[in-house]
Amino acid sequence: MMKHAAFATALSLLTGALASAQTPAETFESGLAEYRRSHHIPSLSVVVLRDGEPDVEAYLGWSDDEGELPTTADTTYFIASVTKTVSGTTLFLADEAGEIDLDRPMADAEDWQGLCDWFPDSGIPLAGGEVEGVIMPDFSCAGQTLRQVVNMQANGEPGTDFWYNALVFARLGRWVDEVHERDFRSLVRAYVLDPLAMTDTMAGWHDIQNFHVLSHLAPPFFFDGERVVKQPFPDDDFRGAAGLYMTPMDLARFDRALDDGTLLTPGQRDALWTPPNNPDGSPSEYAHGWFLEDYQGERLIFHSGWQPEAYSAIYLKVPDRGLTLIAFANSESLWWHNRPDRSEIERSDLVQAFFAAYGIGETTP
């Protein structure tokens, strides 16, 4: 009920904003303070980029448990699975450079064999079971390649259908650590973080660079139905699926580099976001760490992040319009109970507010 009420609240706020604001940025930004309040988010940072430049920068709330430290542009967050966009892009670039072979078998790593021994019979739904009302096919070690794992095609018959499996994707980091000369953190730094001067990003607790990121970290909270309760910090180190801590504007540096040719040629960028085919010949909804979706005539490229009862994040690109939405929260309230078999970012009420403000899905770009 809370999510439905929040959705209605967001849309009603947006309707009022549409009547008064003169620009899409003003329309969208005017409802964010009430959105944060109604969703019980202590610290919320939202950035909208238009052609690489900030159209909206909103830093709302407070980033400590006493409510004394206001959220600012320096506030950092654990971005959970949005990390996959950086991880997947890194592996794509390393494959293009000949340093990593995406078609190499996962079984080349002993860690993968260890996963094979316990995961299929673990009882974890991602190994085969119900996730958000959907029955995932069984996971079995059947010759998966690095490419199939990074494209989320590891469940069922490997290399066929898309099934979102964050636990298996997380094994990519361990695979690189074991079989490659450079560990995964070093690879990500070499291909993405250091070339882009992403100095407000840490790759996990054990990263030896950019310690100041933790001093600006908004601690996690959970709304228990009555109040927001401070939660333990995530204690996992950096891995393929999650582990980056950063500011929204550092992710904006990554976003600009994707679009302006700094990281990839136009042909490489097209290949990065070209998914494999499903068995019926239709394109998959995931490629190289990115969700892909066609929504009412609009091309959407995105990822969400969810650390249960702690953090959530949204990173959405609408490339034909030159628009990007970045939203970080120190609660799980940006999460919308994503299904494991579909790319449906329109189910997010914040994204719906963004769409309405900017006319996405309503008019021709």
Side-chain angles (χ1 to χ4, degrees), residues 309-322:
E309 300 185 359
Y311 290 98
S312 53
I314 292 171
Y315 175 25
L316 166 65
K317 294 177 67 62
V318 190
D320 290 343
R321 295 177 182 262

Side-chain angles (χ1 to χ4, degrees), residues 100-114 116 141 143-146 171 174-180:
I100 288 282
D101 181 4
L102 285 177
D103 293 314
R104 186 170 175 180
M106 293 296 293
D108 285 356
E110 289 184 11
D111 176 76
W112 183 258
Q113 297 296 337
C116 295
C141 286
Q144 288 93 341
T145 64
L146 187 64
R171 256 16 205 217
R174 294 187 182 186
W175 187 93
V176 172
D177 289 350
E178 182 179 334
V179 306
H180 195 259

Side-chain angles (χ1 to χ4, degrees), residues 261-278:
T262 300
L263 271 182
L264 307 127
T265 67
Q268 288 175 323
R269 187 177 61 232
D270 289 345
L272 176 71
W273 293 328
T274 297
N277 285 333
N278 295 317

Side-chain angles (χ1 to χ4, degrees), residues 206-224:
H206 297 166
D207 195 352
I208 63 173
Q209 298 188 45
N210 304 337
F211 292 137
H212 69 278
V213 169
L214 294 183
S215 70
H216 295 294
L217 181 63
F221 287 84
F222 173 65
F223 180 65
D224 65 5

Side-chain angles (χ1 to χ4, degrees), residues 86-282:
V86 176
S87 297
T89 301
T90 295
L91 290 171
F92 175 86
L93 289 169
D95 180 75
E96 289 283 295
E99 186 171 359
I100 288 282
D101 181 4
L102 285 177
D103 293 314
R104 186 170 175 180
M106 293 296 293
D108 285 356
E110 289 184 11
D111 176 76
W112 183 258
Q113 297 296 337
L115 176 77
C116 295
D117 290 341
W118 70 268
F119 186 47
D121 299 319
S122 66
I124 298 172
L126 291 174
E130 184 173 338
V131 179
E132 294 298 329
V134 176
I135 302 299
M136 292 186 66
D138 290 343
F139 172 89
S140 62
C141 286
Q144 288 93 341
T145 64
L146 187 64
R147 188 184 305 276
Q148 290 165 351
V149 172
V150 80
N151 285 336
M152 295 288 185
Q153 292 186 318
N155 280 66
E157 182 182 347
T160 55
D161 288 320
F162 157 66
W163 292 97
Y164 186 80
N165 195 325
L167 190 151
V168 171
F169 195 104
R171 256 16 205 217
L172 295 173
R174 294 187 182 186
W175 187 93
V176 172
D177 289 350
E178 182 179 334
V179 306
H180 195 259
E181 263 184 44
R182 293 198 275 191
D183 64 21
F184 192 58
R185 182 184 287 111
S186 298
L187 207 67
V188 170
R189 284 212 160 275
Y191 280 94
V192 176
L193 303 186
D194 292 344
L196 302 184
M198 293 175 66
T199 56
D200 289 326
T201 296
M202 272 186 77
W205 285 106
H206 297 166
D207 195 352
I208 63 173
Q209 298 188 45
N210 304 337
F211 292 137
H212 69 278
V213 169
L214 294 183
S215 70
H216 295 294
L217 181 63
F221 287 84
F222 173 65
F223 180 65
D224 65 5
E226 296 182 359
R227 62 192 181 94
V228 290
V229 180
K230 192 174 183 180
Q231 300 294 102
F233 287 99
D235 60 359
D236 288 328
D237 196 24
F238 179 62
R239 56 198 192 281
L244 289 181
Y245 298 79
M246 62 168 57
T247 63
M249 290 307 291
D250 239 26
L251 188 60
R253 290 184 178 89
F254 174 64
D255 186 76
R256 281 192 292 268
L258 291 169
D259 293 338
D260 67 12
T262 300
L263 271 182
L264 307 127
T265 67
Q268 288 175 323
R269 187 177 61 232
D270 289 345
L272 176 71
W273 293 328
T274 297
N277 285 333
N278 295 317
D280 63 3
S282 64

